[in-house]
Amino acid sequence: MARKIYVFDTTLRDGEQVPGAKLNKRQKLEIAEQLALLGVDVIEAGFPCSSPEDLQAVKAVAEQVKGPIIAGLARAVKEDIDAAWEAVKSAEKPRIHVFLGSSDIHLQKKLRRDRESALEQAVEMVKYAKKYCEDVEYSTEDASRTDFDYLCRVVESVIKAGATVVNIPDTVGYAIPEEFGDLIKRLKEKVPALDNVILSVHCHNDLGLAVANTLAAIRNGAQQVECTINGIGERAGNAALEEIVMALKVRPQHYDAYTEINTREIYKTSRMVSRTMNIPVQPNKAIVGANAFAHSSGIHQDGILKDRRTYEIMKPEDVGIKDHKLVLTARSGRAALRHQLIQVGFNLSEEQFERVYQRFLNVADRKKEVTSEDLITIVEVELTKVPETFSFHSLQIMSGNTIVPMASVTLLRGEEKITESAIGNGPVDAVFRSIEKIIKKSAKLRDYDLKAVTTGTDALAEAMVRVEIDDTIFSGIGTSPDVVEASARAYVNAFNRYFAAENGFNGLEKI
Ligand code: KIV
Ligand code: ZN
């Protein structure tokens, strides 16, 4: 009979360790609610001891998100375990996740201790966590580089101390599939007590093998997989949730295992994580990349038109990507827009709808047609808003290869229209300089990313910026069919986040 594989999502913890991807409480809650809709079994919501803000964010997730187990990470020390329990104790199903290095390199160089004393500490801390919480997960950090006999002793001892889940991480992405699968098999043979707990794996992607290693572990008896949306995480990232889940779904005979993930929520979750954490998804990314279901060569298109199974091993609808093309234009009325919004998963209130409608008209005025991808972007941009201290009104640019680029920008501050102009290295630079003149504040541009979120020369462009203002990084997003306008909107959005933080605004307004 097919085995259920538990999906442990660590987007909000290992994923959040990506530089610049820090989330506030509201953002964590929003992603956690979506992960619950996606149907993950466990949400690792954070590392509560790492900061008071993270403790509060994990606590909010524990209090409000129903369905999945809510886990908090802790080093194998009392202080961390206390913080983790404080954060998760009000969850419907709380879990404390304790970890300690087990490889010689970690023990000798990082922890500066011997194997025996580390083993004692592991046992003692599992017992300590157990006083608070029935569900305790123990991770043998750097397991794939740990001496096998010692690893078996640690696993056996923590189970005896009360661990309910034992996690075997390939912390540095060193393992290769045959070897990692074999490690799981040998562990199960050597430690029979593993039959009474959940055996988990957690693979990093340094050699691009995180998903392959995870699947090899499933073949050899692992019951829980730790992964992140879009594969984000430390360094090269973690195993991508969507890839593991779809491999099991597309190849059930091979794995004889399944997850309870609602795969139709995958794409929406991927977009939300990318946008909120400011980490773009590469176009050729399996399952969720912009090209994952795009067929460009004539031979492929011909095959697809005859029978989609010639070049498609899964349906885009199965991961929540609508394959039919929506034809919404400026002449589409409210009813058509509402219908299409529901089709792409947004059931908005009247007030929310009106705001989206106004933005839609603005885009539709300049595009021949507004596709379902355009629509998702429009709604997502409208979904997370900070108060608009300044709002974009209009811009003009003069640019070319023989003149110094110049821009004139008008922003609104309440009712007041303010216009300034500036020169720059290029049109976008000139626009940014003009905005700074209006706002009377300068920013250092740390990151700038511009992409077409839909296809065609009239595609909707999305600009993402990360700017440093007064030593703090703020991100901003802007969309428009015009790339310079998208950039200007993103820059203003980043400044608005700065003002929101200055004014003690502690969360995003969700429409
Ligand atoms: O990669 C790792 O080993 C971890 C542990 C904390 C599970 O993230
Ligand atoms: Zn990790």
Side-chain angles (χ1 to χ4, degrees), residues 13-14 202 204 238:
R13 197 278 298 169
D14 224 330
H202 174 116
H204 278 271
N238 288 59

Side-chain angles (χ1 to χ4, degrees), residues 13-14 73 97 99 139 141-142 167 169-171 202 204 226:
R13 197 278 298 169
D14 224 330
L73 184 68
H97 179 189
F99 76 100
S139 282
E141 194 190 12
D142 205 17
N167 183 40
D170 178 26
T171 303
H202 174 116
H204 278 271
E226 301 200 356

Side-chain angles (χ1 to χ4, degrees), residues 328-329 332 337 356-364 370 375 378:
L328 279 179
T329 70
S332 304
L337 177 64
V356 168
Y357 184 61
Q358 293 312 321
R359 165 85 74 149
F360 160 76
L361 285 182
N362 189 287
V363 173
V370 180
L375 213 49
I378 291 168

Side-chain angles (χ1 to χ4, degrees), residues 26 226 244:
R26 185 59 170 271
E226 301 200 356
I244 302 167

